[in-house]
Amino acid sequence: YEQLAGQQPPLSPTVFIRLGEIRFRQGRPDDAERILRRCLAIWSESAEAHDRLAGILLKTKRVQLARHHIDRAVRLAPDNPTYRAHHRAIHAAVP
């Protein structure tokens, strides 16, 4: 995924989303966040990237930023039950 993410032009947001997931699972949340922010700089309408970034932000105790991104994910894909569940959980979190 690292190699695919470096291609110009970038292939798709999925490459960045999967690479971000890998970095997060490796215990590298800063790298995961950077990768997802890069994805959103190219594909600002990627609901999945906003959702994943919201999760990372929540786990790194940045609740307000997490809420911003999950709100965006739900606006972009209002019928997605996963994003709606994440929205409820993030908005229930104590800042």
Side-chain angles (χ1 to χ4, degrees):
Y1 283 104
E2 189 77 48
Q3 195 172 41
L4 291 172
Q7 289 184 357
Q8 292 298 323
L11 297 176
S12 78
T14 302
V15 170
F16 291 89
I17 291 163
R18 298 298 170 254
L19 183 58
E21 289 173 353
I22 290 167
R23 292 295 181 258
F24 189 78
R25 287 185 187 144
Q26 291 174 329
R28 297 165 58 186
D30 292 344
D31 286 345
E33 180 180 343
R34 179 185 50 77
I35 289 163
L36 290 169
R37 288 189 183 283
R38 182 171 165 219
C39 176
L40 288 169
I42 301 166
W43 294 283
S44 63
E45 303 297 304
S46 172
E48 186 175 7
H50 281 287
D51 176 69
R52 301 299 173 127
L53 181 55
I56 290 169
L57 293 166
L58 180 64
K59 288 178 181 175
T60 56
K61 312 249 188 285
R62 292 176 284 163
V63 177
Q64 292 303 327
L65 281 174
R67 287 177 178 159
H68 167 77
H69 284 281
I70 198 59
D71 289 350
R72 184 72 188 267
V74 169
R75 277 195 306 274
L76 292 166
D79 296 330
N80 186 302
T82 301
Y83 302 160
R84 288 195 324 261
H86 292 167
H87 185 271
R88 285 189 299 275
I90 290 171
H91 279 277
V94 176

